[in-house]
Amino acid sequence: MLNESLWAALTLVLSLIIAGPALAAEDIVFYLEDEPIYTTNSQENSGFLIEVVMEMTKVMGLKPKVQFLPWKRAQLMTIATPNAVIFPLTRTPSREPNYRWICKVFDVPVMFINKQGKALIDSPKQARQIRGIGVILGTPQEEQLKAFGVPYVTFSGKQLFPALADNRVAAIFTAQPEAVLGWRKAGYSDRLQFGKTLQVLPLWIATNKDSDKVRDDEWIRALNTIKESGFFNRMLKKYFDIEPSDYSLSGSSLRDPA
């Protein structure tokens, strides 16, 4: 008969073997920003990409931990933490060496957006003639405005749409899906109009460069699975009120559904 110490040791080993996959899954952590469009801590509408990526984790049998942090800190924590995952992250040359890029979820078009009744802004040249262009601080959109030589005013993501609604800026330069959803959720009565696409942001899921528990091929297969099942398109409809035919995942413009 086994003595108590040996039995306890065997029990411990068996419990670790049984719990192994679950423990390994919990080693993966998501560092995200709490913002209303893609990743939010809200229990009612958790955000387009939260729903998409969590459905992918179900396909893969993963149970990641989720932490919401200020955006800059989320990026730094991902760079410093093995098996940390971050999204949506725009893939830019300056960010390229800091992460391992798992898979691209989709492209979003960026343009000058203002209220109907004003002159449509289709080019940087036109924008330079307008006083008061708003953009979110520290984004690729801000970098693009610098490259265009367009004067601008910076805001946080939560401040951008109220600034346009209150006429504190004449136009904003931002991603169209975000504007469509943010404007609709706020209930503003004015209708938006969208200039020509001047920038395309590829939104990726990225991970720490030393993430041994994140297998790119599994994530890519999971993304393809939820697209084939129709889940991805249902989320497009839920959050942006658009049909798949209205928006090409290769980066073409998203129409205003209102």
Side-chain angles (χ1 to χ4, degrees):
M1 185 172 180
L2 295 174
N3 61 40
E4 290 185 3
S5 60
L6 182 57
W7 178 255
L10 287 172
T11 301
L12 176 61
V13 170
L14 286 172
S15 66
L16 288 174
I17 292 172
I18 294 170
L23 290 172
E26 290 177 355
D27 287 341
I28 296 176
V29 58
F30 291 173
Y31 290 125
L32 310 174
E33 181 186 25
D34 187 1
E35 54 84 25
I37 310 299
Y38 296 122
T39 55
T40 176
N41 205 17
S42 168
Q43 297 300 313
E44 297 180 359
N45 290 298
S46 53
F48 173 72
L49 279 175
I50 279 281
E51 296 216 39
V52 165
V53 178
M54 292 309 291
E55 188 70 11
M56 290 170 59
T57 65
K58 291 179 184 178
V59 172
M60 293 183 285
L62 302 177
K63 295 182 179 179
K65 297 177 181 178
V66 181
Q67 293 189 27
F68 291 94
L69 302 170
W71 185 230
K72 187 64 176 179
R73 186 180 171 197
Q75 295 176 61
L76 293 174
M77 287 294 291
T78 303
I79 293 171
T81 309
N83 297 307
V85 173
I86 188 171
F87 56 87
L89 196 65
T90 304
R91 192 168 185 174
T92 63
S94 61
R95 289 174 176 169
E96 184 70 27
N98 296 327
Y99 305 90
R100 200 176 85 220
W101 300 88
I102 304 173
C103 57
K104 183 174 72 171
V105 183
F106 68 152
D107 291 328
V108 292
V110 176
M111 68 280 293
F112 291 105
I113 302 169
N114 59 0
K115 297 178 184 178
Q116 290 189 5
K118 304 292 185 180
L120 197 64
I121 307 171
D122 281 328
S123 69
K125 181 178 179 180
Q126 291 173 311
R128 285 192 288 269
Q129 307 305 313
I130 296 173
R131 184 175 181 181
I133 302 290
V135 70
I136 299 175
L137 176 67
T139 59
Q141 297 95 299
E142 182 186 6
E143 293 179 9
Q144 186 65 71
L145 288 185
K146 289 179 183 177
F148 284 156
V150 174
Y152 60 84
V153 182
T154 57
F155 297 92
S156 69
K158 293 181 179 180
Q159 296 170 333
L160 187 66
F161 304 122
L164 179 61
D166 297 341
N167 298 314
R168 283 177 281 148
V169 292
I172 56 178
F173 188 70
T174 194
Q176 191 171 11
E178 299 170 19
V180 169
L181 179 57
W183 197 259
R184 185 177 71 237
K185 288 181 69 174
Y188 298 126
S189 58
D190 293 305
R191 294 191 60 172
L192 298 177
Q193 60 183 7
F194 305 88
K196 293 180 179 179
T197 298
L198 298 174
Q199 182 182 27
V200 174
L201 300 179
L203 299 187
W204 283 69
I205 301 170
T207 187
N208 177 278
K209 296 179 75 173
D210 296 320
S211 297
D212 61 327
K213 294 181 173 62
V214 179
R215 293 184 54 183
D216 297 10
D217 56 340
E218 290 182 352
W219 285 69
I220 292 169
R221 281 198 299 270
L223 179 58
N224 289 334
T225 296
I226 67 166
K227 286 183 177 180
E228 292 169 0
S229 71
F231 182 88
F232 191 96
N233 289 339
R234 290 196 295 275
M235 293 302 101
L236 282 177
K237 177 67 176 176
K238 174 181 177 179
Y239 281 93
F240 305 128
D241 195 24
I242 58 172
E243 301 295 339
S245 59
D246 297 324
Y247 181 56
S248 166
L249 297 182
S250 64
S252 63
S253 181
L254 171 70
R255 68 172 174 82
D256 178 5

Short mmCIF file of all heavy atoms in Angstrom, two decimals, residues 74-129:
data_model
loop_
_atom_site.label_atom_id
_atom_site.label_comp_id
_atom_site.label_asym_id
_atom_site.label_seq_id
_atom_site.Cartn_x
_atom_site.Cartn_y
_atom_site.Cartn_z
N ALA A 74 -0.38 49.17 -22.77
CA ALA A 74 -0.72 47.85 -23.33
C ALA A 74 0.35 47.41 -24.33
O ALA A 74 0.76 46.24 -24.35
CB ALA A 74 -2.09 47.90 -23.99
N GLN A 75 0.81 48.36 -25.15
CA GLN A 75 1.84 48.04 -26.12
C GLN A 75 3.16 47.67 -25.43
O GLN A 75 3.82 46.69 -25.80
CB GLN A 75 2.05 49.22 -27.06
CG GLN A 75 0.83 49.53 -27.93
CD GLN A 75 1.03 50.77 -28.77
OE1 GLN A 75 1.93 50.84 -29.59
NE2 GLN A 75 0.18 51.77 -28.57
N LEU A 76 3.54 48.45 -24.43
CA LEU A 76 4.80 48.19 -23.71
C LEU A 76 4.75 46.86 -22.97
O LEU A 76 5.74 46.13 -22.94
CB LEU A 76 5.09 49.34 -22.75
CG LEU A 76 5.40 50.70 -23.40
CD1 LEU A 76 5.54 51.78 -22.33
CD2 LEU A 76 6.67 50.62 -24.24
N MET A 77 3.60 46.55 -22.36
CA MET A 77 3.47 45.29 -21.64
C MET A 77 3.56 44.10 -22.60
O MET A 77 4.15 43.07 -22.27
CB MET A 77 2.14 45.26 -20.89
CG MET A 77 2.11 46.17 -19.67
SD MET A 77 3.25 45.65 -18.36
CE MET A 77 2.47 44.12 -17.82
N THR A 78 2.99 44.24 -23.78
CA THR A 78 3.07 43.16 -24.76
C THR A 78 4.50 42.94 -25.23
O THR A 78 4.96 41.80 -25.35
CB THR A 78 2.17 43.48 -25.98
OG1 THR A 78 0.83 43.69 -25.53
CG2 THR A 78 2.20 42.33 -26.98
N ILE A 79 5.22 44.03 -25.46
CA ILE A 79 6.62 43.93 -25.88
C ILE A 79 7.46 43.24 -24.81
O ILE A 79 8.40 42.50 -25.12
CB ILE A 79 7.18 45.33 -26.19
CG1 ILE A 79 6.49 45.91 -27.45
CG2 ILE A 79 8.69 45.29 -26.39
CD1 ILE A 79 6.83 47.36 -27.71
N ALA A 80 7.10 43.43 -23.53
CA ALA A 80 7.91 42.93 -22.42
C ALA A 80 7.46 41.57 -21.89
O ALA A 80 8.19 40.96 -21.10
CB ALA A 80 7.88 43.94 -21.27
N THR A 81 6.30 41.05 -22.31
CA THR A 81 5.72 39.87 -21.68
C THR A 81 5.57 38.71 -22.66
O THR A 81 4.76 38.80 -23.60
CB THR A 81 4.34 40.19 -21.09
OG1 THR A 81 4.43 41.36 -20.26
CG2 THR A 81 3.80 39.02 -20.28
N PRO A 82 6.31 37.61 -22.47
CA PRO A 82 6.12 36.44 -23.33
C PRO A 82 4.68 35.94 -23.28
O PRO A 82 4.04 35.95 -22.23
CB PRO A 82 7.08 35.41 -22.73
CG PRO A 82 8.14 36.23 -22.08
CD PRO A 82 7.42 37.43 -21.53
N ASN A 83 4.15 35.54 -24.44
CA ASN A 83 2.79 35.03 -24.59
C ASN A 83 1.72 36.09 -24.35
O ASN A 83 0.55 35.76 -24.10
CB ASN A 83 2.56 33.81 -23.70
CG ASN A 83 3.46 32.66 -24.07
OD1 ASN A 83 3.51 32.26 -25.23
ND2 ASN A 83 4.22 32.16 -23.11
N ALA A 84 2.10 37.35 -24.44
CA ALA A 84 1.12 38.43 -24.42
C ALA A 84 0.65 38.71 -25.83
O ALA A 84 1.43 38.64 -26.79
CB ALA A 84 1.73 39.68 -23.80
N VAL A 85 -0.64 39.01 -25.96
CA VAL A 85 -1.25 39.28 -27.26
C VAL A 85 -1.93 40.64 -27.21
O VAL A 85 -2.52 41.01 -26.17
CB VAL A 85 -2.28 38.18 -27.62
CG1 VAL A 85 -3.05 38.53 -28.88
CG2 VAL A 85 -1.58 36.83 -27.76
N ILE A 86 -1.86 41.39 -28.31
CA ILE A 86 -2.47 42.71 -28.38
C ILE A 86 -3.21 42.87 -29.71
O ILE A 86 -2.77 42.34 -30.72
CB ILE A 86 -1.40 43.82 -28.22
CG1 ILE A 86 -2.06 45.20 -28.09
CG2 ILE A 86 -0.38 43.78 -29.33
CD1 ILE A 86 -1.07 46.31 -27.70
N PHE A 87 -4.32 43.59 -29.67
CA PHE A 87 -5.08 43.90 -30.89
C PHE A 87 -6.09 45.00 -30.57
O PHE A 87 -6.43 45.19 -29.40
CB PHE A 87 -5.80 42.64 -31.42
CG PHE A 87 -6.72 41.97 -30.41
CD1 PHE A 87 -8.04 42.35 -30.28
CD2 PHE A 87 -6.24 40.95 -29.59
CE1 PHE A 87 -8.89 41.75 -29.36
CE2 PHE A 87 -7.07 40.34 -28.67
CZ PHE A 87 -8.40 40.73 -28.55
N PRO A 88 -6.55 45.74 -31.57
CA PRO A 88 -6.04 45.77 -32.93
C PRO A 88 -4.81 46.65 -33.00
O PRO A 88 -4.79 47.76 -32.48
CB PRO A 88 -7.20 46.40 -33.72
CG PRO A 88 -7.83 47.35 -32.74
CD PRO A 88 -7.70 46.69 -31.40
N LEU A 89 -3.78 46.17 -33.64
CA LEU A 89 -2.54 46.92 -33.76
C LEU A 89 -2.25 47.16 -35.23
O LEU A 89 -2.18 46.21 -36.02
CB LEU A 89 -1.39 46.14 -33.11
CG LEU A 89 -0.12 46.93 -32.82
CD1 LEU A 89 -0.36 48.00 -31.76
CD2 LEU A 89 1.00 46.00 -32.34
N THR A 90 -2.12 48.43 -35.58
CA THR A 90 -1.79 48.77 -36.96
C THR A 90 -0.32 48.42 -37.23
O THR A 90 0.56 48.80 -36.46
CB THR A 90 -2.03 50.26 -37.23
OG1 THR A 90 -3.37 50.58 -36.90
CG2 THR A 90 -1.77 50.59 -38.69
N ARG A 91 -0.08 47.70 -38.31
CA ARG A 91 1.28 47.28 -38.63
C ARG A 91 1.99 48.40 -39.38
O ARG A 91 1.64 48.71 -40.52
CB ARG A 91 1.26 46.01 -39.46
CG ARG A 91 2.61 45.34 -39.61
CD ARG A 91 2.47 43.95 -40.19
NE ARG A 91 3.76 43.26 -40.23
CZ ARG A 91 3.91 41.99 -40.58
NH1 ARG A 91 2.84 41.26 -40.92
NH2 ARG A 91 5.11 41.43 -40.58
N THR A 92 2.95 49.02 -38.73
CA THR A 92 3.69 50.13 -39.30
C THR A 92 5.19 49.82 -39.26
O THR A 92 5.64 48.97 -38.47
CB THR A 92 3.43 51.43 -38.52
OG1 THR A 92 3.91 51.28 -37.17
CG2 THR A 92 1.93 51.76 -38.47
N PRO A 93 5.99 50.50 -40.08
CA PRO A 93 7.45 50.24 -40.06
C PRO A 93 8.08 50.44 -38.69
O PRO A 93 8.97 49.67 -38.31
CB PRO A 93 7.97 51.27 -41.08
CG PRO A 93 6.83 51.48 -42.02
CD PRO A 93 5.60 51.42 -41.17
N SER A 94 7.62 51.43 -37.93
CA SER A 94 8.23 51.68 -36.62
C SER A 94 7.89 50.57 -35.62
O SER A 94 8.66 50.29 -34.70
CB SER A 94 7.77 53.03 -36.08
OG SER A 94 6.37 53.07 -35.90
N ARG A 95 6.74 49.94 -35.78
CA ARG A 95 6.33 48.88 -34.87
C ARG A 95 6.82 47.50 -35.31
O ARG A 95 6.85 46.56 -34.49
CB ARG A 95 4.80 48.84 -34.76
CG ARG A 95 4.19 50.01 -34.02
CD ARG A 95 2.67 49.96 -34.10
NE ARG A 95 2.03 51.00 -33.32
CZ ARG A 95 0.74 51.30 -33.38
NH1 ARG A 95 -0.05 50.63 -34.21
NH2 ARG A 95 0.24 52.27 -32.63
N GLU A 96 7.16 47.37 -36.56
CA GLU A 96 7.47 46.06 -37.16
C GLU A 96 8.42 45.21 -36.32
O GLU A 96 8.15 44.02 -36.08
CB GLU A 96 8.03 46.26 -38.57
CG GLU A 96 8.30 44.97 -39.32
CD GLU A 96 7.03 44.24 -39.73
OE1 GLU A 96 6.00 44.91 -39.90
OE2 GLU A 96 7.08 43.01 -39.87
N PRO A 97 9.57 45.74 -35.83
CA PRO A 97 10.51 44.87 -35.13
C PRO A 97 10.14 44.56 -33.68
O PRO A 97 10.80 43.75 -33.04
CB PRO A 97 11.82 45.68 -35.19
CG PRO A 97 11.37 47.10 -35.23
CD PRO A 97 10.10 47.10 -36.04
N ASN A 98 9.09 45.18 -33.16
CA ASN A 98 8.77 45.05 -31.74
C ASN A 98 7.85 43.87 -31.42
O ASN A 98 7.70 43.51 -30.25
CB ASN A 98 8.10 46.33 -31.23
CG ASN A 98 9.03 47.52 -31.30
OD1 ASN A 98 10.24 47.38 -31.13
ND2 ASN A 98 8.48 48.70 -31.55
N TYR A 99 7.23 43.28 -32.43
CA TYR A 99 6.24 42.24 -32.20
C TYR A 99 6.42 41.09 -33.19
O TYR A 99 7.12 41.22 -34.19
CB TYR A 99 4.80 42.78 -32.39
CG TYR A 99 4.47 43.98 -31.56
CD1 TYR A 99 4.69 45.27 -32.05
CD2 TYR A 99 3.92 43.84 -30.29
CE1 TYR A 99 4.38 46.39 -31.29
CE2 TYR A 99 3.60 44.95 -29.52
CZ TYR A 99 3.83 46.22 -30.03
OH TYR A 99 3.52 47.33 -29.28
N ARG A 100 5.76 39.98 -32.90
CA ARG A 100 5.55 38.94 -33.89
C ARG A 100 4.11 39.11 -34.38
O ARG A 100 3.18 39.09 -33.58
CB ARG A 100 5.74 37.55 -33.29
CG ARG A 100 6.00 36.48 -34.36
CD ARG A 100 6.28 35.14 -33.74
NE ARG A 100 5.05 34.41 -33.45
CZ ARG A 100 4.84 33.69 -32.36
NH1 ARG A 100 5.77 33.63 -31.42
NH2 ARG A 100 3.70 33.06 -32.19
N TRP A 101 3.95 39.26 -35.66
CA TRP A 101 2.65 39.59 -36.23
C TRP A 101 1.93 38.30 -36.60
O TRP A 101 2.35 37.58 -37.49
CB TRP A 101 2.83 40.50 -37.44
CG TRP A 101 3.53 41.78 -37.04
CD1 TRP A 101 4.88 42.00 -37.00
CD2 TRP A 101 2.91 42.97 -36.57
NE1 TRP A 101 5.15 43.28 -36.54
CE2 TRP A 101 3.95 43.90 -36.26
CE3 TRP A 101 1.59 43.37 -36.38
CZ2 TRP A 101 3.70 45.18 -35.78
CZ3 TRP A 101 1.33 44.64 -35.89
CH2 TRP A 101 2.38 45.53 -35.59
N ILE A 102 0.84 38.00 -35.89
CA ILE A 102 0.16 36.71 -36.03
C ILE A 102 -0.68 36.66 -37.30
O ILE A 102 -0.49 35.81 -38.16
CB ILE A 102 -0.72 36.42 -34.80
CG1 ILE A 102 0.11 36.48 -33.51
CG2 ILE A 102 -1.39 35.07 -34.94
CD1 ILE A 102 -0.73 36.37 -32.25
N CYS A 103 -1.66 37.54 -37.40
CA CYS A 103 -2.53 37.54 -38.57
C CYS A 103 -3.25 38.88 -38.69
O CYS A 103 -3.51 39.54 -37.68
CB CYS A 103 -3.56 36.39 -38.52
SG CYS A 103 -4.62 36.38 -37.07
N LYS A 104 -3.53 39.24 -39.92
CA LYS A 104 -4.29 40.47 -40.18
C LYS A 104 -5.77 40.15 -40.13
O LYS A 104 -6.24 39.22 -40.79
CB LYS A 104 -3.92 41.07 -41.53
CG LYS A 104 -4.63 42.39 -41.81
CD LYS A 104 -4.14 43.05 -43.09
CE LYS A 104 -4.61 42.34 -44.32
NZ LYS A 104 -4.31 43.11 -45.56
N VAL A 105 -6.52 40.93 -39.35
CA VAL A 105 -7.96 40.70 -39.24
C VAL A 105 -8.68 41.36 -40.40
O VAL A 105 -9.49 40.74 -41.08
CB VAL A 105 -8.49 41.22 -37.89
CG1 VAL A 105 -9.98 40.89 -37.76
CG2 VAL A 105 -7.72 40.61 -36.73
N PHE A 106 -8.40 42.64 -40.62
CA PHE A 106 -8.95 43.33 -41.79
C PHE A 106 -8.30 44.69 -41.95
O PHE A 106 -7.52 45.13 -41.10
CB PHE A 106 -10.49 43.45 -41.72
CG PHE A 106 -11.05 44.35 -40.65
CD1 PHE A 106 -12.28 44.97 -40.85
CD2 PHE A 106 -10.40 44.58 -39.45
CE1 PHE A 106 -12.84 45.80 -39.89
CE2 PHE A 106 -10.96 45.41 -38.47
CZ PHE A 106 -12.18 46.02 -38.70
N ASP A 107 -8.57 45.32 -43.09
CA ASP A 107 -8.08 46.67 -43.38
C ASP A 107 -9.22 47.66 -43.15
O ASP A 107 -10.38 47.36 -43.44
CB ASP A 107 -7.63 46.80 -44.83
CG ASP A 107 -6.37 46.00 -45.12
OD1 ASP A 107 -5.53 45.85 -44.23
OD2 ASP A 107 -6.24 45.53 -46.27
N VAL A 108 -8.88 48.84 -42.64
CA VAL A 108 -9.90 49.88 -42.51
C VAL A 108 -9.46 51.12 -43.29
O VAL A 108 -8.30 51.52 -43.24
CB VAL A 108 -10.18 50.24 -41.04
CG1 VAL A 108 -10.84 49.09 -40.31
CG2 VAL A 108 -8.91 50.67 -40.31
N PRO A 109 -10.39 51.72 -44.03
CA PRO A 109 -10.08 52.93 -44.79
C PRO A 109 -10.14 54.16 -43.91
O PRO A 109 -10.99 54.27 -43.02
CB PRO A 109 -11.18 52.96 -45.85
CG PRO A 109 -12.34 52.29 -45.20
CD PRO A 109 -11.77 51.24 -44.28
N VAL A 110 -9.23 55.09 -44.14
CA VAL A 110 -9.16 56.35 -43.40
C VAL A 110 -9.32 57.50 -44.38
O VAL A 110 -8.74 57.48 -45.47
CB VAL A 110 -7.82 56.48 -42.64
CG1 VAL A 110 -7.70 57.83 -41.94
CG2 VAL A 110 -7.67 55.35 -41.64
N MET A 111 -10.07 58.50 -43.98
CA MET A 111 -10.31 59.66 -44.84
C MET A 111 -10.72 60.85 -44.00
O MET A 111 -10.91 60.73 -42.78
CB MET A 111 -11.40 59.35 -45.87
CG MET A 111 -12.79 59.16 -45.30
SD MET A 111 -13.08 57.54 -44.60
CE MET A 111 -13.00 56.55 -46.10
N PHE A 112 -10.87 62.00 -44.65
CA PHE A 112 -11.42 63.17 -43.98
C PHE A 112 -12.93 63.01 -43.91
O PHE A 112 -13.59 62.68 -44.91
CB PHE A 112 -11.04 64.46 -44.71
CG PHE A 112 -9.58 64.78 -44.63
CD1 PHE A 112 -8.74 64.58 -45.72
CD2 PHE A 112 -9.03 65.28 -43.47
CE1 PHE A 112 -7.39 64.87 -45.66
CE2 PHE A 112 -7.67 65.57 -43.37
CZ PHE A 112 -6.85 65.36 -44.48
N ILE A 113 -13.47 63.25 -42.73
CA ILE A 113 -14.90 63.07 -42.48
C ILE A 113 -15.46 64.36 -41.90
O ILE A 113 -14.88 64.93 -40.95
CB ILE A 113 -15.15 61.91 -41.50
CG1 ILE A 113 -14.55 60.61 -42.06
CG2 ILE A 113 -16.63 61.74 -41.20
CD1 ILE A 113 -14.51 59.47 -41.05
N ASN A 114 -16.54 64.84 -42.46
CA ASN A 114 -17.20 66.02 -41.91
C ASN A 114 -18.71 65.86 -42.03
O ASN A 114 -19.21 64.80 -42.43
CB ASN A 114 -16.69 67.31 -42.56
CG ASN A 114 -16.90 67.34 -44.06
OD1 ASN A 114 -17.43 66.41 -44.66
ND2 ASN A 114 -16.49 68.42 -44.70
N LYS A 115 -19.44 66.90 -41.69
CA LYS A 115 -20.90 66.83 -41.71
C LYS A 115 -21.43 67.14 -43.10
O LYS A 115 -20.86 67.97 -43.83
CB LYS A 115 -21.49 67.83 -40.71
CG LYS A 115 -21.13 67.56 -39.26
CD LYS A 115 -21.73 68.64 -38.36
CE LYS A 115 -21.31 68.47 -36.93
NZ LYS A 115 -21.86 69.56 -36.08
N GLN A 116 -22.53 66.49 -43.44
CA GLN A 116 -23.17 66.79 -44.71
C GLN A 116 -23.62 68.25 -44.72
O GLN A 116 -24.03 68.80 -43.70
CB GLN A 116 -24.36 65.86 -44.93
CG GLN A 116 -23.96 64.44 -45.21
CD GLN A 116 -25.13 63.57 -45.63
OE1 GLN A 116 -26.24 64.05 -45.81
NE2 GLN A 116 -24.88 62.27 -45.79
N GLY A 117 -23.51 68.87 -45.88
CA GLY A 117 -23.81 70.29 -46.01
C GLY A 117 -22.56 71.13 -46.13
O GLY A 117 -22.61 72.28 -46.58
N LYS A 118 -21.43 70.56 -45.70
CA LYS A 118 -20.13 71.21 -45.86
C LYS A 118 -19.45 70.66 -47.12
O LYS A 118 -19.88 69.67 -47.69
CB LYS A 118 -19.24 70.94 -44.63
CG LYS A 118 -19.87 71.35 -43.31
CD LYS A 118 -20.00 72.86 -43.20
CE LYS A 118 -20.53 73.24 -41.82
NZ LYS A 118 -20.68 74.71 -41.68
N ALA A 119 -18.39 71.34 -47.54
CA ALA A 119 -17.66 70.86 -48.72
C ALA A 119 -16.96 69.54 -48.40
O ALA A 119 -16.33 69.39 -47.35
CB ALA A 119 -16.64 71.91 -49.14
N LEU A 120 -17.09 68.59 -49.30
CA LEU A 120 -16.44 67.30 -49.13
C LEU A 120 -14.92 67.47 -49.25
O LEU A 120 -14.45 68.22 -50.10
CB LEU A 120 -16.94 66.33 -50.19
CG LEU A 120 -16.69 64.83 -49.97
CD1 LEU A 120 -17.44 64.35 -48.73
CD2 LEU A 120 -17.14 64.04 -51.19
N ILE A 121 -14.17 66.78 -48.41
CA ILE A 121 -12.71 66.90 -48.41
C ILE A 121 -12.13 65.61 -48.99
O ILE A 121 -12.14 64.56 -48.35
CB ILE A 121 -12.17 67.14 -46.99
CG1 ILE A 121 -12.88 68.33 -46.34
CG2 ILE A 121 -10.66 67.38 -47.03
CD1 ILE A 121 -12.56 68.49 -44.87
N ASP A 122 -11.60 65.69 -50.19
CA ASP A 122 -11.09 64.52 -50.88
C ASP A 122 -9.57 64.46 -50.96
O ASP A 122 -9.02 63.45 -51.41
CB ASP A 122 -11.65 64.47 -52.31
CG ASP A 122 -13.08 63.94 -52.35
OD1 ASP A 122 -13.42 63.09 -51.51
OD2 ASP A 122 -13.84 64.39 -53.22
N SER A 123 -8.88 65.52 -50.53
CA SER A 123 -7.44 65.55 -50.72
C SER A 123 -6.77 66.36 -49.61
O SER A 123 -7.39 67.22 -48.98
CB SER A 123 -7.09 66.18 -52.07
OG SER A 123 -7.40 67.57 -52.05
N PRO A 124 -5.47 66.12 -49.37
CA PRO A 124 -4.73 66.93 -48.41
C PRO A 124 -4.72 68.41 -48.81
O PRO A 124 -4.75 69.29 -47.94
CB PRO A 124 -3.33 66.34 -48.46
CG PRO A 124 -3.53 64.93 -48.91
CD PRO A 124 -4.67 64.99 -49.87
N LYS A 125 -4.67 68.68 -50.11
CA LYS A 125 -4.67 70.08 -50.56
C LYS A 125 -5.92 70.80 -50.10
O LYS A 125 -5.86 71.94 -49.61
CB LYS A 125 -4.56 70.13 -52.09
CG LYS A 125 -4.53 71.55 -52.65
CD LYS A 125 -4.39 71.52 -54.17
CE LYS A 125 -4.38 72.96 -54.73
NZ LYS A 125 -4.24 72.96 -56.21
N GLN A 126 -7.07 70.15 -50.23
CA GLN A 126 -8.31 70.75 -49.74
C GLN A 126 -8.29 70.90 -48.22
O GLN A 126 -8.75 71.90 -47.69
CB GLN A 126 -9.51 69.89 -50.16
CG GLN A 126 -9.79 69.88 -51.64
CD GLN A 126 -10.87 68.88 -52.01
OE1 GLN A 126 -10.83 67.72 -51.59
NE2 GLN A 126 -11.85 69.33 -52.80
N ALA A 127 -7.74 69.91 -47.53
CA ALA A 127 -7.72 69.95 -46.07
C ALA A 127 -6.84 71.09 -45.55
O ALA A 127 -7.14 71.67 -44.50
CB ALA A 127 -7.21 68.61 -45.53
N ARG A 128 -5.78 71.40 -46.28
CA ARG A 128 -4.90 72.49 -45.84
C ARG A 128 -5.58 73.85 -45.89
O ARG A 128 -5.11 74.80 -45.27
CB ARG A 128 -3.62 72.50 -46.68
CG ARG A 128 -2.65 71.37 -46.32
CD ARG A 128 -1.29 71.58 -46.96
NE ARG A 128 -1.31 71.35 -48.40
CZ ARG A 128 -1.06 70.17 -48.98
NH1 ARG A 128 -0.76 69.12 -48.23
NH2 ARG A 128 -1.09 70.04 -50.29
N GLN A 129 -6.69 73.94 -46.61
CA GLN A 129 -7.43 75.20 -46.69
C GLN A 129 -8.48 75.33 -45.59
O GLN A 129 -9.16 76.35 -45.48
CB GLN A 129 -8.13 75.30 -48.06
CG GLN A 129 -7.23 75.10 -49.25
CD GLN A 129 -6.03 76.04 -49.26
OE1 GLN A 129 -6.19 77.24 -49.04
NE2 GLN A 129 -4.85 75.49 -49.51
#
